[in-house]
Amino acid sequence: MELMEGVELRHADRTDPAVLALATAQQSELAALYGEDQPLVALHPDIEFILLTLDGTPVGCVGLQPISPGLGEIKRMYVEPTSRGWGLSRLLLAEIEAHARTRGLTTLRLETGTRQLEAIALYTHHGYDETPRYPPFENEAVSRCFAKHLD
């Protein structure tokens, strides 16, 4: 996928300050949507991030967390609000899928919320099918889980 001018995608550690800032912003946005009592899922120590910068400014990120052989989970997919609507989330999704393939993963799963209609549209448009909620989201009525088999 060709990147638009000024966009850079790079691998980043989960402790990268830009990743931490974007993940914190994402969690704040989710708390505003769903309340503070949602399950906070700690990041696995083996999670890998892709950081998206626009003209040198970090504006998006996505994590890939290993779950089991062949299975990975998309975590902390986020594009800051003023950078939405330009297709940056599609770039992040394509990049994390490509990275998952290089890691030998054959399936990706993710959890999002019922009020995140743009996220649901993004995932379903890109071949993710709704699946039963998995732990720790199995009892969360506002959770929707999706999975995609990678070709």
Side-chain angles (χ1 to χ4, degrees):
M1 178 177 281
E2 187 174 323
L3 298 183
M4 63 180 70
E5 187 175 332
V7 171
E8 181 185 345
L9 294 165
R10 68 171 173 85
H11 291 265
D13 190 80
R14 68 186 176 96
T15 60
D16 184 299
V19 168
L20 292 173
L22 289 164
T24 298
Q26 183 227 24
Q27 294 299 296
S28 295
E29 196 172 307
L30 293 176
L33 272 176
Y34 300 107
E36 299 284 345
D37 63 341
Q38 297 305 303
L40 181 60
V41 180
L43 295 177
H44 190 278
D46 293 335
I47 195 167
E48 299 174 271
F49 274 92
I50 303 293
L51 181 66
L52 187 149
T53 60
L54 182 58
D55 296 326
T57 301
V59 297
C61 67
V62 61
L64 177 62
Q65 180 171 310
I67 301 298
S68 62
L71 176 63
E73 186 169 346
I74 294 174
K75 305 295 279 184
R76 305 296 195 269
M77 171 80 125
Y78 184 71
V79 173
E80 61 92 21
T82 63
S83 298
R84 294 179 186 163
W86 301 342
L88 300 177
S89 59
R90 289 192 307 269
L91 295 175
L92 283 167
L93 188 58
E95 186 72 13
I96 208 67
E97 288 179 357
H99 182 63
R101 286 181 187 97
T102 69
R103 293 288 192 217
L105 300 177
T106 55
T107 303
L108 287 179
R109 72 179 188 186
L110 62 95
E111 182 271 342
T112 192
T114 56
R115 296 180 184 161
Q116 292 162 269
L117 301 180
E118 293 86 356
I120 292 168
L122 171 74
Y123 298 128
T124 56
H125 180 77
H126 289 277
Y128 287 79
D129 296 315
E130 192 158 6
T131 63
R133 293 186 303 255
Y134 52 84
F137 308 108
E138 67 271 26
N139 297 316
E140 295 296 326
V142 297
S143 285
R144 290 186 65 189
C145 294
F146 295 84
K148 178 179 179 177
H149 181 75
L150 302 175
D151 297 328

